[in-house]
Amino acid sequence: MNLNVMNKKIIFSAVMLSLSTSMSAQVFSNFKYQGKDKIYDENPLKEDEMYSPILQGFYPDPSITKKGNDYYLVNSSFSVFPGVPIFHSKDLVNWKQLGHVLDRPSQLKVGTAGFSEGIYAPAIRYNPYNDTFYMITTQIASGIGNMLVKTKDPRQSWSEVQKLNFDGIDPSLFFDDDGKAYVVHNDAPPVGTEQYSGHRVIKIWEFDLEKDQVIPNTDKIIVNGGVDLSQKPIWIEAPHLYKKDGKYFLMCAEGGTGDWHSEVIFMSDSPKGPFVPASNNPILTQRYFPKHRDNKVDWAGHADLVEGPDNHHYGVFLGVRPNSKWRVNTGRETYLLPVDWSGDFPVFENGLLPLKAKIKMPKGVKNQTGQNGFLPNGNFSFNDKLNNEKLDFRWVAMRGPKEEFVSVTKNGVKINAFQTNVKDKAPISALFVRQQHVSFEAEVRLDFKPKSEKELSGITCYQSENFNYVFGIVQKNKENFLVLERTEKGQSKLLATEKIKLTQPIFLQVKADGDDYQFGYSLDGKDFRNVGNIVSGDILSTDVAGGFSGTLIGLYSTVGNDVKL
């Protein structure tokens, strides 16, 4: 080894050892999460029913594919690390998480990205002609842009990134039955032809399976603007191409991922068009119903189709469940509906009516959610002692690998704090799970005694680096305090402080009833004392904070504390 390199490594190790011995130990254990949504209590399942959303909380932009009897589903992850969660099912009802598609820093370069940058709209496809799975997506804020990775087995690791030579977003692959491959994606209209804000086009390229690259000069615009350009439709995007009975079908989202969101469909005799829109578009939307309706589901769109185990088609799509003040704190979730394709065009069954909490399961399927290792839904609980060597896949980090700051011990998870804090566009030492219910309770046991005023450990409710709550333990003049801080538009305000004596581990809690959030602590894990009264969850809502994410609940430590007492 080069002597200079060796000396640098020795110096680096010494610095890290010095930091580690000067910092307090902080160990999180006994995490408990309980969903408390009234809609599930009021709508118990019958034997042939299931809940939709099938993935609650921040699991947006679903895409699905199948090989034989196996179904695989992926979601957008933005700057969460690892990226692109991937799920497996045999029946579309019972799902297990396999892990993440992008699980290495070489694949996911989001270290300085905002939360709603990073990975947009992944599309997963299986090509039977070379027995290969592909995941194609857009990686924002990294200089990568459109990209793909592939694998023979989604249970194993995926390839390194192949950068693709075209602009735009939301790419999706299509493998025709003659062995040819194509890419469709959203793009800007040709320079000088944009007619209004939100005017976009859908392009198609031929794709070279040997080079894993689009074929130069094969691009063609197949949809301009949307279903009817004269009506100035906005944000035609998230295209997927299918083939059925010799016809080609192009399905896209239209209207933007908000309350005008919808799904539309086109048909052609060729993958390159011309494509004719269905006369009954949209085939899925919630935009026509009163805003103030009970058990509202909204923003439905960004869909993908698959043939189910009962030879019936189904569609996955995103939707949101606003709380009583119409806030969207759980983010965009993954829904499922059966699809009627008995006519020329597919139509989501009851997709043009107000969506309900329950749907009929595919025939012959037994609902095992929450059992036998399958992910739960409804009003489930998630309890984790945090002492398993391999953490549950639901625990994620922000902008970098959790392995860089997490050590699992027999007593729980030790977080080796970074100098960055939740307001930074950088990797932060926080271990996150998604808020998956409008109303919930979450608590964790924390063993921590700060040694300096730069240390903070506790919990955070995190919508982004600019919108979050922090509830944690700090030191001031050799005394310990619990602090509650609210950050809105990057500006922080201290809401409450309480002096405490740390003679033993402490239990921290956050709970929400719709828009009303409360933070509290307990010394025995039973009786919790509120700090800061009731605070608004408004800053944890997408419609206030902007972006495309949902709220994350974090176990958080930093040696870059900037809370001012």
Side-chain angles (χ1 to χ4, degrees), residues 226-227 236 250-254 262-266 281-284:
V227 169
I236 191 77
L250 178 69
M251 191 171 72
C252 306
E254 187 182 280
S262 70
E263 200 70 17
V264 296
I265 192 84
F266 307 78
N281 275 320
I283 58 174
L284 167 71

Side-chain angles (χ1 to χ4, degrees), residues 286-393:
Q286 295 290 284
R287 66 190 181 198
Y288 298 123
F289 310 119
K291 177 181 178 180
H292 298 283
R293 59 185 185 272
D294 292 337
N295 297 324
K296 179 181 179 181
V297 177
D298 210 357
W299 301 10
H302 201 116
D304 201 1
L305 301 178
V306 73
E307 188 175 348
D310 52 1
N311 298 316
H312 193 100
H313 279 85
Y314 290 82
V316 291
F317 58 96
L318 71 81
V320 297
R321 293 176 295 146
N323 64 33
S324 59
K325 294 187 178 178
W326 317 112
R327 303 300 188 197
V328 183
N329 294 29
T330 48
R332 299 174 300 158
E333 307 175 293
T334 292
Y335 286 75
L336 177 79
L337 274 182
V339 171
D340 182 352
W341 208 334
S342 58
D344 288 338
F345 290 95
V347 177
F348 285 77
E349 295 182 18
N350 298 319
L352 299 176
L353 298 173
L355 293 172
K356 305 296 184 183
K358 302 189 299 183
I359 63 173
K360 294 290 185 182
M361 293 191 297
K363 291 180 181 179
V365 175
K366 179 182 178 182
N367 194 332
Q368 302 180 70
T369 54
Q371 308 168 42
N372 303 317
F374 293 108
L375 292 172
N377 61 7
N379 270 337
F380 60 82
S381 61
F382 172 43
N383 299 324
D384 193 338
K385 292 183 179 180
L386 296 171
N387 60 1
N388 289 330
E389 183 177 349
K390 186 175 181 181
L391 289 173
D392 192 288
F393 287 128

Side-chain angles (χ1 to χ4, degrees), residues 188-195 199:
V191 176
T193 66
E194 182 178 357
Q195 298 186 26
H199 178 191

Side-chain angles (χ1 to χ4, degrees), residues 6 89 161 291 451 511:
M6 182 181 294
S89 176
V161 165
K291 177 181 178 180
K451 292 182 178 180
K511 58 183 181 179

Side-chain angles (χ1 to χ4, degrees), residues 381 500 557:
S381 61
I500 56 170
S557 294

Side-chain angles (χ1 to χ4, degrees), residues 22-26 446-457 472-476 478-481 500 502 558 561:
S22 64
M23 288 162 39
S24 304
Q26 46 256 319
L446 172 60
D447 189 352
F448 171 63
K449 294 179 182 178
K451 292 182 178 180
S452 78
E453 296 183 5
K454 297 304 292 181
E455 296 183 42
L456 180 150
S457 282
I473 299 168
V474 299
Q475 185 186 94
K476 180 72 173 179
K478 304 299 183 180
E479 294 183 308
N480 298 317
F481 295 84
I500 56 170
L502 294 174
T558 181
N561 171 43

Side-chain angles (χ1 to χ4, degrees), residues 269-290:
D269 293 323
S270 164
K272 290 193 171 185
F275 280 92
V276 177
S279 60
N280 60 330
N281 275 320
I283 58 174
L284 167 71
T285 192
Q286 295 290 284
R287 66 190 181 198
Y288 298 123
F289 310 119

